[in-house]
Amino acid sequence: MAPIPGSGLAKGLAVTLRTMTKKTVTAQYPDAQPELPPRTRGVIGLFEENCTVCMLCARECPDWCIYIDSHKETVPPAAPGGRERSRNVLDRFAIDFALCMYCGICIEVCPFDALFWSPEFEYAETDIHELTHERDKLRDWMWTVPAPPALDSGAEEPKEIAAARKSAEKLAAAAQPEPTPEPGAQAGAAPGTEAGTQPSPAPQTKPTDPQGGES
């Protein structure tokens, strides 16, 4: 069946009329901030306390846009007679967002959960050299990282939480005082005897002669 002449124009006008009667949904940015999804890749936040300066994120970065400097410090022994240890102390952690391609490899390979995605996106600069943000700025972005979504119903408990819970239960069990015996109770008392009393001796019988008489 051949199309009716002008039907396409009529459909287009109908769509235009329906759209004109609807309320506008344009967000007036920057007066109205957009609602971003939880997994938005805005910038990378640094949780400095978890960073061990393992350099894994800098080595795995395809763009080599992560700059890390550190030094070693000697830690005194935890117990008398122990051996001193050395640990890495973070001096600089910077990311050049002019080179970053937001692949997220550094966040995935970090074994200590020190890097996170933040939904912040307002970090434009007039000079490209100022797009290299130091650890102070990365730490400020860390507090804008949204909380992780809740687990689905019936999902297994994460291994980290399960291990922490078992350790807490063991510590709580070890901290509980042992039950003290009641006054007058004797350890190892025979069953059926009251506390503080001696068990009655068994009745003695005379040995009998094999011929049937008493000896």
Side-chain angles (χ1 to χ4, degrees):
M1 181 178 179
I4 302 175
S7 59
L9 178 61
K11 291 181 180 179
L13 291 175
V15 172
T16 303
L17 292 175
R18 286 198 303 268
T19 305
M20 289 176 61
T21 57
K22 292 182 179 180
K23 185 179 180 180
T24 178
V25 293
T26 302
Q28 301 299 324
Y29 177 83
D31 297 333
Q33 293 292 328
E35 296 182 2
L36 301 176
R39 299 180 66 181
T40 299
R41 296 190 176 190
V43 291
I44 298 174
L46 171 67
F47 192 55
E48 189 175 334
E49 287 76 6
N50 286 359
C51 182
T52 61
V53 200
C54 65
M55 305 294 291
L56 191 58
C57 57
R59 291 197 301 266
E60 296 295 332
C61 178
D63 295 331
W64 293 83
C65 63
I66 300 177
Y67 312 111
I68 301 176
D69 293 331
S70 65
H71 70 277
K72 288 186 177 293
E73 285 187 357
T74 302
V75 181
R83 185 176 60 180
E84 293 183 347
R85 298 178 294 107
S86 63
R87 67 183 181 93
N88 292 324
V89 179
L90 184 66
D91 292 330
R92 185 194 183 199
F93 196 108
I95 299 178
D96 187 357
F97 285 96
L99 296 177
C100 179
M101 63 180 185
Y102 306 92
C103 62
I105 293 178
C106 57
I107 298 175
E108 295 296 332
V109 301
C110 179
F112 302 105
D113 292 335
L115 298 175
F116 297 87
W117 278 118
S118 168
E120 291 292 322
F121 60 91
E122 296 176 330
Y123 58 96
E125 301 289 347
T126 56
D127 188 358
I128 192 173
H129 297 93
E130 296 180 359
L131 284 174
T132 301
H133 294 287
E134 301 292 333
R135 65 176 183 175
D136 295 336
K137 187 65 175 178
L138 301 180
R139 184 179 180 85
D140 292 340
W141 283 332
M142 179 62 206
W143 311 126
T144 63
V145 175
L151 297 176
D152 296 336
S153 57
E156 295 183 0
E157 188 178 28
K159 296 181 180 179
E160 296 82 1
I161 297 179
R165 180 175 52 80
K166 290 180 181 179
S167 300
E169 291 176 355
K170 289 181 180 178
L171 293 175
Q176 291 181 356
E178 297 181 358
T180 56
E182 296 181 359
Q186 294 182 356
T193 60
E194 297 181 358
T197 60
Q198 296 292 336
S200 57
Q204 298 181 356
T205 56
K206 296 181 179 182
T208 57
D209 187 62
Q211 302 296 330
E214 294 182 358
S215 59

